Amino acid sequence: EANFTQYLLEQVSDFKSKYSIRLYELLIKYRDVGNSKKFEIVELRSKLGLEDNEYKLNAVFKRDVLDKAIKEIGNKTDIQIKYEQFKEGRVISHILFKIGKKKDKKSKVGKDMNTIDMFADMTIKQALMFGDKLSRDTAFQNHYKANVGESVEDYSERIATMLMDGFYVKEWIQYLENVGFVPTRLSE
């Protein structure tokens, strides 16, 4: 615990924006998973410490709070953050964050170009779709059970979050192929 706290303090000590610190603290627990949960805009604003009268317009909120915080986090820490917006009608209602460790500039020399690429990034929408399909698949349910008291939506979202990690794509490939997933081959 002491090392984790020290690491966290080292990461946020250079931040200029209070929103960067709050967003970092909110999202760092999802670093190893790859995705956050879907945050309602109202919930996210509250967790960032915004009052109802601050940054009322979503465009201003995104520009002055989210985008600046994400840029500062990307520049000063070992993680990168992207986000996807979800709408209800014309209004943005939810935001899902994708968190990843900064990649080392390593060469791809030595990879077999005919090997199925199990670690190709699934888009968030693909992960959500296949998470939903797997959560309804009986064979998969027998292999990977929902937690006690977990709703179908939460179970599906948890599976989708795990699918952002190539390990689980490889682990669950037989179930994924049964629900329509087609692995891609590396292109030259």
Side-chain angles (χ1 to χ4, degrees):
E1 289 180 17
N3 290 340
F4 177 76
T5 304
Q6 183 179 7
Y7 173 74
L8 179 64
L9 292 175
E10 286 177 9
Q11 291 290 319
V12 300
S13 63
D14 290 335
F15 287 166
K16 303 285 186 240
S17 168
K18 65 182 178 182
Y19 304 121
S20 299
I21 295 169
R22 289 178 179 162
L23 186 63
Y24 181 85
E25 290 173 347
L26 183 64
L27 298 179
I28 194 65
K29 65 182 175 183
Y30 299 105
R31 177 183 48 198
D32 293 331
V33 179
N35 281 15
S36 71
K37 69 173 197 155
K38 266 195 210 177
F39 289 100
E40 288 186 43
I41 293 290
V42 174
E43 174 191 12
L44 181 61
R45 289 175 56 88
S46 172
K47 289 188 183 276
L48 291 176
L50 289 168
E51 299 292 328
D52 291 337
N53 60 349
E54 291 182 288
Y55 304 104
K56 286 182 182 180
L57 294 175
N58 272 340
V60 176
F61 168 67
K62 288 185 335 191
R63 181 191 70 213
D64 292 346
V65 177
L66 278 186
D67 292 341
K68 284 184 179 179
I70 288 171
K71 183 177 180 180
E72 187 171 32
I73 291 169
N75 289 338
K76 296 181 179 178
T77 68
D78 62 342
I79 63 172
Q80 292 285 17
I81 299 172
K82 296 179 182 176
Y83 64 91
E84 187 166 336
Q85 305 169 80
F86 296 87
K87 292 184 177 183
E88 288 180 3
R90 292 181 163 187
V91 178
I92 296 168
S93 60
H94 293 81
I95 292 183
L96 179 81
F97 293 94
K98 185 174 179 181
I99 301 103
K101 296 176 184 170
K102 286 184 183 172
K103 295 181 181 175
D104 295 332
K105 308 266 185 195
K106 292 183 180 176
S107 172
K108 291 187 176 183
V109 175
K111 279 193 172 185
D112 180 359
M113 297 310 270
N114 294 319
T115 302
I116 294 176
D117 184 9
M118 296 297 178
F119 300 98
D121 288 336
M122 247 191 214
T123 66
I124 293 171
K125 288 182 180 180
Q126 288 172 325
L128 290 170
M129 178 185 71
F130 285 111
D132 183 58
K133 287 183 176 187
L134 287 177
S135 72
R136 299 173 193 285
D137 183 62
T138 308
F140 181 79
Q141 289 173 354
N142 290 334
H143 168 73
Y144 190 78
K145 301 193 181 307
N147 294 329
V148 175
E150 187 173 36
S151 70
V152 174
E153 292 82 15
D154 289 340
Y155 178 53
S156 172
E157 192 173 299
R158 185 164 51 93
I159 293 167
T161 300
M162 294 172 81
L163 284 173
M164 297 304 292
D165 182 346
F167 170 81
Y168 291 102
V169 173
K170 187 175 180 181
E171 185 76 17
W172 298 338
I173 191 67
Q174 70 186 46
Y175 303 106
L176 284 164
E177 288 175 338
N178 288 342
V179 295
F181 177 75
V182 179
T184 58
R185 294 200 178 268
L186 288 171
S187 58
E188 292 189 61

